[in-house]
């Protein structure tokens, strides 16, 4: 095996390791690391949980003294600042490694090339950019949060074969099959927030929790301009058990906001004269709270607003072999929409699977079409 192929195989293994941190490390990035000496892997590690040891620390710990003179493959630039853990650059220098191969630079302001520079000053050979595209895709939600201040937005919906979210009377239980709903619970269990609009809350009275629980406990976020979420709804009744954030407009009645606050909800008063302005403010606020991934479960107008704003990054769609019909039955995505088919958002290498009786289509929006 040639050296470039050898290096690529070890970086691919580091990326594979990094993915094990999904749902556990956010808002930190997923990072994997391998330590190779004399052509043999002597240590491996990945960032396992937020606040825990970084991937380099785990890998060097497993390598022990064999790290002396070794090559380290790491999916993201080693940190050089004191956070919840010591700087990884110092640990690499003390371990006596000879060479560090980095998939990509970290745009986090306290690192941003400084980690690479520190390793180089210490006499360690550093190479950057091996399998960078793969590493960037793995950490796309983290990169969006760091560079734009907004979370990664994951759109999810279930629809019939004729593209309907519900009947004209609003009945939508259940369009998808149990196997599809199981996947939705898995998605809920790895995100920081599950977002719906007031209409979906009224029609479905959802709980929006992950069952069984996943690695994260998502906040339930309801866009409710008038703060009119009823006290008897499942969301309000369970607000003290799992967070509920109600995003209301400034013109909503103070007594309604107070009623929700008294029930245990957090009410965010979103400034702006239009729905689009308030949604912009909300996404910025969720980013300020370091929420990395938000799952958007409807309805069609909320999904349409996000699509119009270029804020959908990933889609999970469950298509049931059912027909509803009806001009007044809601379609999957509302909003203004696009004038030209040539401008349609496309999934990059979409995955298409059979899921029980449904067809499950999922993937990320092509990078050039994502929000920046």
């Amino acid at each position: 095996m040639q050296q470039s192929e050898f290096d690529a195989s070890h970086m691919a293994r580091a990326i594979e390791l990094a993915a094990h941190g999904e749902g556990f490390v956010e808002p930190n990035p997923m990072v994997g690391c391998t330590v190779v000496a004399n052509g043999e892997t002597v240590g491996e590690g990945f960032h396992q949980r937020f606040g825990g040891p970084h991937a380099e620390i785990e890998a060097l710990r497993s390598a022990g003294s064999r790290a002396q003179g070794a090559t380290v493959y790491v999916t993201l630039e080693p940190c050089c600042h004191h956070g919840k853990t010591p700087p990884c650059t110092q640990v690499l220098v003390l371990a006596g490694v000879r060479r560090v191969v980095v998939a990509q630079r970290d745009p986090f302001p306290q690192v941003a090339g400084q980690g690479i520079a520190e390793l180089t000053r210490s006499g360690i050979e550093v190479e950057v950019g091996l399998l960078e595209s793969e590493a960037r895709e793995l950490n796309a939600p983290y990169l969006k949060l760091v560079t734009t201040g907004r979370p990664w937005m994951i759109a999810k919906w279930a629809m019939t074969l004729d593209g309907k979210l519900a009947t004209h009377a609003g009945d939508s239980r259940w369009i998808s099959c149990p196997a599809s709903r199981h996947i939705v619970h898995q998605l809920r269990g790895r995100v920081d927030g599950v977002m719906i609009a007031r209409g979906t809350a009224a029609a479905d009275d959802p709980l929006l929790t992950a069952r069984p629980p996943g690695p994260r406990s998502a906040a339930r976020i309801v866009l409710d301009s008038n703060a009119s979420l009823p006290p008897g709804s499942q969301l309000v009744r369970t607000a003290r058990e799992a967070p509920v954030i109600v995003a209301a407009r400034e013109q909503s009645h103070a007594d309604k906001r107070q009623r929700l606050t008294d029930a245990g909800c957090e009410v965010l008063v979103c400034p702006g004269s239009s729905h689009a302005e308030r949604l912009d403010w909300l996404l910025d606020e969720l980013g300020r709270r370091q929420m990395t991934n938000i799952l958007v479960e409807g309805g069609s107008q909320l999904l349409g607003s996000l699509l119009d704003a270029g804020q959908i990054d990933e889609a999970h769609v469950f298509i049931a072999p059912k027909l509803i019909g009806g001009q007044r039955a809601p379609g999957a995505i509302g909003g203004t929409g696009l004038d030209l088919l040539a401008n349609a958002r496309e999934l990059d290498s979409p995955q298409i699977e059979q899921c029980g009786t449904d067809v499950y289509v999922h993937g990320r929006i092509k990078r050039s079409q994502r929000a920046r």
Side-chain angles (χ1 to χ4, degrees), residues 303-367:
L303 290 168
S305 295
L306 289 167
L307 184 68
D308 289 343
Q311 288 294 329
I312 293 179
D313 301 296
E314 184 175 334
H316 293 256
V317 183
F318 302 90
I319 306 169
K322 302 172 183 178
L323 298 171
I324 289 177
Q327 291 184 344
R328 293 191 295 116
I333 297 182
T336 302
L338 300 168
D339 293 331
L340 298 175
L341 189 58
N343 296 331
R345 305 288 192 267
E346 295 183 60
L347 297 189
D348 193 4
S349 302
Q351 302 294 305
I352 304 173
E353 308 170 27
Q354 185 81 33
C355 184
T357 56
D358 299 339
V359 174
Y360 175 33
V361 181
H362 57 104
R364 292 177 170 181
I365 303 295
K366 284 187 176 180
R367 189 180 301 173

Side-chain angles (χ1 to χ4, degrees), residues 123-136:
I124 295 175
E125 179 185 345
V126 181
E127 298 175 22
V128 183
L130 181 63
L131 301 190
E132 179 176 4
S133 178
E134 292 85 345
R136 290 185 67 85

Side-chain angles (χ1 to χ4, degrees), residues 115-257:
I116 291 167
E118 184 174 319
L119 292 175
T120 302
R121 285 196 301 271
S122 300
I124 295 175
E125 179 185 345
V126 181
E127 298 175 22
V128 183
L130 181 63
L131 301 190
E132 179 176 4
S133 178
E134 292 85 345
R136 290 185 67 85
E137 280 303 291
L138 177 70
N139 270 320
Y142 164 78
L143 296 173
K144 182 184 179 187
L145 181 64
V146 171
T147 57
T148 72
R150 289 185 170 184
W152 184 263
M153 305 300 290
I154 305 167
K156 165 264 164 184
W157 67 90
M159 66 182 184
T160 60
L161 202 57
D162 54 344
K164 305 297 186 180
L165 292 183
T167 69
H168 67 85
D171 182 26
S172 62
R173 289 193 175 183
W174 293 98
I175 285 178
S176 59
C177 69
S180 296
R181 298 198 293 275
H182 176 71
I183 291 174
V184 173
H185 283 286
Q186 290 179 322
L187 289 170
R188 288 176 182 174
R190 68 169 179 84
V191 300
D192 297 299
V194 179
M195 180 183 290
I196 62 171
R198 173 66 176 83
T200 301
D204 297 344
D205 190 24
L207 194 55
L208 300 182
T209 55
R211 303 182 294 277
R216 306 189 79 74
S217 180
R220 285 91 51 87
I221 305 165
V222 184
L223 277 66
D224 181 9
S225 295
N226 296 321
S228 59
L229 200 61
S233 67
Q234 290 200 89
L235 289 168
V236 176
R237 287 191 288 107
T238 60
R240 299 192 190 280
E241 301 167 20
V244 173
I245 299 173
V246 177
R249 60 178 178 169
E250 292 174 309
Q251 294 85 354
S252 59
H253 291 296
D255 57 342
K256 290 185 176 180
R257 299 199 301 265

Side-chain angles (χ1 to χ4, degrees), residues 33-109:
C33 182
T34 62
V35 182
V36 178
N38 301 317
E40 176 188 358
T41 299
V42 297
E44 292 186 338
F46 66 94
H47 187 30
Q48 298 183 26
R49 60 179 178 82
F50 179 72
H54 286 187
E56 300 94 319
I57 308 300
E58 295 280 10
L60 291 171
R61 184 181 295 160
S62 67
S65 61
R66 294 174 293 178
Q68 181 77 35
T71 294
V72 171
Y73 300 86
V74 61
T75 58
L76 189 69
E77 177 180 4
C79 67
C80 54
H81 65 289
H82 284 272
K84 290 185 176 295
T85 59
C88 291
T89 49
Q90 293 181 11
V91 179
L92 288 163
V93 171
L94 291 173
V97 304
R98 178 184 65 84
R99 176 173 172 247
V100 176
V101 182
V102 178
Q104 70 163 120
R105 287 178 167 82
D106 187 349
F108 187 67

